[in-house]
Amino acid sequence: VQLVESGGGLVQAGGSLRLSCAASGFTFDDYAIGWVRQAPGKEREGVSCISNDDGSTYYADSVKGRFTISSDENKNTVYLQMNNLKPEDTAVYYCAARRGTLVVSTSTPEAYYDYWGQGTQVTVSS
């Protein structure tokens, strides 16, 4: 199983980035894919999740209306479009996969996901 993130970088507040998570080694449609972030000195936080079974989505309150998660089953890739970025969005963003249902929790994401990527840094300057 492999999850490879890309698309992180440095952006000014108010800007946008699109993260990608390329998945391989498992049946894509059987899994929910999520994005989890970890800011310096803080615990990991579930940001968003999409079910590749039924397309349902979940967003943390802190990103609702600004972030959009989507999935391309032809490419086995999940995207996170991040708009109107804020300095508090600065973190390492991880892609994670869970067999079965959507993860609808922000806290303790380690308890829900089976596989993790290596992470990509997102830095938002003020």
Side-chain angles (χ1 to χ4, degrees):
V1 173
Q2 193 170 23
L3 299 169
V4 179
E5 304 97 334
S6 61
L10 173 64
V11 64
Q12 289 188 333
S16 298
L17 284 174
R18 188 177 80 155
L19 305 183
S20 299
C21 172
S24 60
F26 59 89
T27 304
F28 194 70
D29 290 353
D30 291 343
Y31 281 73
I33 307 291
W35 289 96
V36 175
R37 67 186 180 187
Q38 187 167 24
K42 294 187 177 181
E43 295 183 347
R44 289 187 178 185
E45 171 192 26
V47 172
S48 183
C49 186
I50 186 167
S51 166
N52 288 316
D53 179 31
D54 62 10
S56 56
T57 58
Y58 165 81
Y59 296 95
D61 288 343
S62 58
V63 305
K64 278 181 182 177
R66 300 189 298 121
F67 291 11
T68 303
I69 193 169
S70 61
S71 179
D72 185 338
E73 296 183 358
N74 292 325
K75 296 182 178 180
N76 279 13
T77 300
V78 170
Y79 304 96
L80 186 68
Q81 178 67 43
M82 305 186 295
N83 297 330
N84 191 22
L85 282 160
K86 304 175 181 180
E88 51 263 44
D89 294 318
T90 294
V92 177
Y93 283 71
Y94 297 91
C95 173
R98 166 188 168 89
R99 183 177 177 89
T101 58
L102 191 72
V103 176
V104 292
S105 172
T106 299
S107 60
T108 60
E110 298 89 345
Y112 297 101
Y113 289 104
D114 302 311
Y115 304 109
W116 293 80
Q118 294 300 307
T120 185
Q121 176 70 47
V122 171
T123 303
V124 184
S125 63
S126 56

